Amino acid sequence: MNDFQKLENQITEINGKLNLLLAGLPALQIQPCKYTLYSWLEEWFHTYKENELKPNSLLQIKICINKHIKKNLPNKPLNEYSAFEIQKGLNKIQSTRMRKYTYDTLGAALRQAYKLDIIPNDIMSKTDNIKHKRKIGKALTLDEQKHFIEILHDNKLKPLYQFYLLSGCRKSEALTVKWSNVDYANKTIFISGTKTENAIRYIPLFPQTENLLNAIPRESEYIFPYSDNLVKCNFKRLKEKYNLRFRIHDLRHTFATRCLEKNISINTVQRWLGHAQASTTANIYTHVQREFELEEIKKFDLKL
């Protein structure tokens, strides 16, 4: 027997022993995940969000899950997704604002699953962060504000639009205000807030606001018993008919601008708007402050 035959026999013997060893090992199995993507999103929502957020914020998450996540990602076991598959699903969302919101929502749910060892990897860390440049609102000029009030002469929602201008409320916040929230003795209105805990606040019952409310018939426990969709459709018709170039949310900006024009402090405006920090108010209304600064510069007349 030559050396080559000896080596061949040794290899055959080794292979035989290796096969016997492998045959004695239990088969490796990937444990199935107890959650699919859809079932985990439902579990995550009820466990971590339902008792934490305001109704409007909860509604936004539900819309995000049903209209964007479920539309663009198939339902399968949670541990079978790849980062590339999630990235492609996110990229199908046209609006960068909604794409960013969906990225944050899905990311929060999947990171929680990773923390709980439901999935083995932090898969969202392998996807590209979604960037969205927030659209800065605009305030109506005094002429635009006057024109807007004039075109509302026969609109049934005129009191609501006037209330936005006099209160700085978010669109949905005004629809939750009840007559019982108005404190005529202390001249305040309680705003339950629809966004965060900081949105819960009291705003002044200005004389103009009180006159407005006194002219509204009390036909419901709510001052403005309208659905969100009805308000959206009404404003859309106004925009199309009169070629308006602003959003309902810009009425909130207009309120803040009128306050700052009257030299009301930024901290006071912050509380009335329901911002958590004055810096938020300052960052949003930097353009307004700069305009005031330029006007103040004109007053400088030092005689040397």
Side-chain angles (χ1 to χ4, degrees):
M1 182 182 296
N2 57 36
D3 292 341
F4 178 78
Q5 288 176 326
K6 289 181 180 180
L7 179 61
E8 191 176 45
N9 290 339
Q10 288 175 348
I11 292 174
T12 301
E13 184 180 356
I14 291 172
N15 283 335
K17 291 180 178 179
L18 183 60
N19 288 333
L20 289 173
L21 179 64
L22 292 175
L25 294 176
L28 295 176
Q29 294 182 350
I30 299 176
Q31 295 299 318
C33 183
K34 64 181 290 188
Y35 292 103
T36 65
L37 175 62
Y38 297 177
S39 65
W40 170 246
L41 286 172
E42 183 177 352
E43 185 77 29
W44 168 80
F45 178 84
H46 291 308
T47 304
Y48 296 99
K49 295 300 173 183
E50 201 162 44
N51 296 322
E52 178 186 335
L53 301 177
K54 291 287 183 179
N56 192 57
S57 297
L58 293 175
L59 177 60
Q60 294 303 315
I61 293 178
K62 286 183 178 180
I63 292 174
C64 175
I65 291 173
N66 293 324
K67 295 188 66 175
H68 298 284
I69 296 178
K70 290 185 177 181
K71 179 181 177 182
N72 296 302
L73 287 171
N75 189 31
K76 61 182 185 179
L78 207 56
N79 59 346
E80 292 184 11
Y81 289 91
S82 67
F84 183 59
E85 184 177 12
I86 290 177
Q87 192 73 60
K88 289 198 300 182
L90 291 169
N91 290 345
K92 293 177 183 179
I93 303 173
Q94 297 297 317
S95 164
T96 58
R97 175 178 176 274
M98 185 49 68
R99 195 185 312 151
K100 170 65 174 173
Y101 188 80
T102 304
Y103 172 87
D104 292 340
T105 301
L106 185 61
L110 292 181
R111 277 190 292 273
Q112 191 64 51
Y114 171 65
K115 286 171 62 178
L116 297 172
D117 295 323
I118 295 173
I119 55 176
N121 299 306
D122 180 10
I123 192 170
M124 290 302 291
S125 66
K126 301 177 182 179
T127 61
D128 291 339
N129 188 18
I130 306 297
K131 296 181 180 180
H132 168 69
K133 186 176 181 181
R134 180 177 179 177
K135 184 177 180 180
I136 298 178
K138 59 160 285 186
L140 278 64
T141 65
L142 290 173
D143 287 340
E144 288 175 329
Q145 181 178 315
K146 180 181 178 181
H147 173 67
F148 180 56
I149 297 300
E150 288 174 349
I151 66 175
L152 293 174
H153 61 91
D154 59 350
N155 192 301
K156 70 175 184 178
L157 299 191
K158 179 179 179 178
L160 174 62
Y161 294 125
Q162 290 177 310
F163 185 78
Y164 286 134
L165 288 167
L166 289 169
S167 67
C169 280
R170 298 177 177 90
K171 176 168 64 67
S172 55
E173 286 177 339
L175 304 181
T176 66
V177 180
K178 300 179 180 180
W179 288 107
S180 58
N181 295 143
V182 182
D183 186 342
Y184 288 95
N186 293 305
K187 303 299 180 185
T188 61
I189 303 175
F190 175 71
I191 305 299
S192 60
T194 57
K195 195 171 183 181
T196 64
E197 291 299 325
N198 293 298
I200 301 174
R201 63 198 187 276
Y202 288 90
I203 62 173
L205 177 63
F206 298 113
Q208 302 95 315
T209 313
E210 186 170 356
N211 291 337
L212 172 67
L213 297 183
N214 288 338
I216 299 175
R218 301 195 180 195
E219 300 175 345
S220 165
E221 65 174 322
Y222 294 96
I223 298 176
F224 306 105
Y226 312 124
S227 68
D228 187 80
N229 189 58
L230 185 147
V231 177
K232 282 183 181 178
C233 293
N234 184 278
F235 189 72
K236 183 180 179 180
R237 288 193 295 269
L238 284 171
K239 289 187 71 172
E240 293 173 349
K241 182 176 181 178
Y242 296 101
N243 195 30
L244 302 179
R245 299 296 183 182
F246 58 87
R247 307 166 300 160
I248 291 182
H249 194 74
D250 290 331
L251 302 180
R252 175 172 161 86
H253 283 261
T254 303
F255 167 80
T257 301
R258 298 291 96 89
C259 288
L260 295 173
E261 286 173 351
K262 296 299 182 181
N263 293 320
I264 298 174
S265 73
I266 196 75
N267 295 86
T268 301
V269 178
Q270 167 219 338
R271 292 195 301 273
W272 291 350
L273 292 178
H275 287 154
Q277 299 176 336
S279 59
T280 304
T281 311
N283 290 337
I284 294 175
Y285 299 103
T286 299
H287 61 290
V288 180
Q289 293 174 303
R290 180 57 181 162
E291 292 173 8
F292 295 157
E293 184 180 4
L294 292 174
E295 290 300 316
E296 294 298 313
I297 290 173
K298 294 177 183 178
K299 299 177 182 178
F300 184 79
D301 188 23
L302 179 62
K303 304 296 183 182
L304 295 178

